Amino acid sequence: MKHSIKLTCLALGLATIGSTAAYADCNDVTIASMNWQSAEVLASLDKFILENGYDCTVSIISGDTVPTLTSMAERGQPDIAPEAWVDLVPEVIGRGLEEGKLVATGAALSDGAVQGWFIPQYIVDAHPDIVTIGDALKHPELFPAPEDPSKGAVFNGPQGWGGTVVTTQLFKAYGAEAAGFELIDTGSAAGLDGSIARAYENQEGWLGYYWAPTAILGRYPMVKLNFDAPHDADEWKRCNSNADCPDPKINEWVSDKVLTVTTTTFAERAGEPVMAYLGTRSWSNKIVNNLLSWMTDNQATGEDGAKYFLENNKDIWSTWVSPEAAAKIEAAL
C-alpha cells in the first residue's frame, strides 16, 4: 500500500509538472548534502550538472535524513534531497507525498541500499557460528566496549540519522543491555568510521550499524548479520523507525529504496528538463563504491569526486541529460 501511494503521487506529480511548467526557469536551487560520502558526492554532481547544463544557481546546504525531509515536507526547503533513504522515515515521506508537498523523481541508487549490523570478516572466520545478531549478542567478550571492556559494545551512528533511530530501537528489541552490551554514540560519521578502522588495526571485535554503498566496506571487509525475525513492514513503521515507541520488536532490516526527492514547489518551478534529469539520473552500488574508494584514497571532497566521475564516465552521465546539456557540461569540465 505504501508503495502504491508513492507511485501514484509520483505519477500525478510529474504529470502536473509536465503540463504546467515544461519551460519554467530553474533559477536558485538549494540542494541538501547529507553528512555521508555518497550523498555528498551526489549533491555535488547535481550541482555541477544543474549549473552547467541547465543554467541553475545552486547552493548546497548540510542536512541529515530526518530533519531535511521533515523540513522539505513542512517548510518547503531545501528544494532537493538527492539521496533520500525514504524507508527510514516512512511517515514523513508518505505524508509529504499524500499531501502533494513532495515529489519522488526516481531511484538515486538503482539497486537500493543495504543497512544493518555488521561485524568484521575475521570475527566470522574465527567464529562461523555467529550468523545472526542474536548469535553475536551471546558473546559480549568478543566485542569489547572502549571504556569498559567487561561489557560488549554496539556502535551506533550520529544523532539525526534514521539508521541511528532504528539501531537504538533494535538494541532495545534484542534486550542488548541485559545481554551485557552498551550502545555507543560515535557522534559523527567520522567517529563511526574511525571505530571500524581502530578495530581492524587492533584486530578486535566490532559490532554495530553500517551501510552500503561506502568506501570503508571495500577497505575493511565486513559481514552483515542476519536478523532473527522476518520483516514486518507495519511493525517497522509503527515502532522500529519511531524513536518514541517504547516496545520495539525484532524486525529484519531489508534493503532500502534510495530516491531523489524534491519539493513540489521546486518541481513546478524548475520545469520538465530539470525534472527529467533528476528522474533519469541513477547509479548502481558498484559505480558508487568505486567512486567512493577513489575519493577516500585521494582524500577527495564531494566536489572533487563529482568532477572525477564526470571526466571519466561520459558514457554514463551523458544518458541522463539532453545532448545540448551534455555539450555544455563537457565544455565546463
Side-chain angles (χ1 to χ4, degrees):
M1 183 60 186
K2 179 175 67 179
H3 297 174
S4 298
I5 289 171
K6 287 179 180 177
L7 292 174
T8 301
C9 291
L10 172 59
L12 290 173
L14 292 179
T16 301
I17 294 160
S19 63
T20 61
Y23 301 101
D25 294 325
C26 185
N27 293 326
D28 297 334
V29 183
T30 52
I31 297 179
S33 177
M34 311 300 188
N35 58 353
W36 59 87
Q37 201 175 26
S38 61
E40 180 189 4
V41 69
L42 186 55
S44 293
L45 181 67
D46 283 347
K47 181 178 190 292
F48 193 98
I49 288 178
L50 291 179
E51 285 187 333
N52 293 288
Y54 296 95
D55 302 320
C56 305
T57 301
V58 178
S59 299
I60 288 182
I61 63 173
S62 299
D64 284 317
T65 304
V66 177
T68 293
L69 294 174
T70 300
S71 176
M72 290 175 70
E74 295 181 355
R75 299 193 296 112
Q77 281 291 325
D79 295 310
I80 304 172
E83 188 180 297
W85 293 50
V86 299
D87 291 330
L88 294 175
V89 284
E91 292 276 4
V92 174
I93 290 291
R95 186 169 63 251
L97 292 173
E98 289 176 349
E99 294 177 353
K101 296 179 179 178
L102 298 177
V103 173
T105 66
L109 278 174
S110 58
D111 45 356
V114 174
Q115 295 186 90
W117 289 20
F118 290 78
I119 62 176
Q121 179 67 56
Y122 53 78
I123 293 292
V124 174
D125 294 340
H127 303 276
D129 57 317
I130 299 178
V131 177
T132 70
I133 291 174
D135 295 334
L137 293 176
K138 295 175 183 174
H139 298 284
E141 76 282 1
L142 295 179
F143 309 99
E147 301 297 329
D148 184 359
S150 69
K151 295 183 178 180
V154 175
F155 290 88
N156 205 353
Q159 299 303 314
W161 287 9
T164 300
V165 172
V166 173
T167 295
T168 301
Q169 294 299 80
L170 287 172
F171 188 87
K172 297 178 191 173
Y174 269 99
E177 184 174 0
F181 281 78
E182 294 180 345
L183 185 62
I184 305 297
D185 181 354
T186 52
S188 66
L192 182 61
D193 290 356
S195 69
I196 294 175
R198 283 193 296 275
Y200 254 82
E201 289 169 1
N202 298 317
Q203 291 290 288
E204 293 179 342
W206 188 95
L207 169 64
Y209 167 76
Y210 215 76
W211 78 99
T214 52
I216 201 163
L217 290 189
R219 174 168 293 183
Y220 302 113
M222 304 283 282
V223 176
K224 179 176 176 288
L225 295 172
N226 294 330
F227 286 78
D228 299 270
H231 183 65
D232 182 333
D234 291 337
E235 182 62 23
W236 189 273
K237 181 178 180 180
R238 182 191 75 86
C239 201
N240 292 102
S241 59
N242 179 0
D244 297 324
C245 181
D247 58 344
K249 297 178 174 55
I250 297 172
N251 202 347
E252 183 183 10
W253 202 333
V254 295
S255 297
D256 287 281
K257 293 182 292 298
V258 181
L259 307 179
T260 296
V261 176
T262 77
T263 64
T264 300
T265 53
F266 169 75
E268 293 174 346
R269 184 179 83 240
E272 191 277 336
V274 168
M275 294 304 291
Y277 158 67
L278 292 174
T280 304
R281 188 263 295 123
S282 182
W283 50 10
S284 68
N285 277 290
K286 182 178 180 180
I287 292 171
V288 180
N289 283 336
N290 289 337
L291 178 58
L292 300 186
S293 179
W294 177 86
M295 290 173 61
T296 300
D297 290 344
N298 292 277
Q299 298 184 327
T301 65
E303 186 176 357
D304 297 332
K307 193 166 185 180
Y308 176 84
F309 173 80
L310 290 166
E311 289 173 339
N312 292 279
N313 296 277
K314 183 182 177 182
D315 58 323
I316 297 173
W317 63 259
S318 63
T319 65
W320 301 339
V321 300
S322 66
E324 294 78 11
K328 293 165 66 176
I329 292 164
E330 187 169 25
L333 288 172

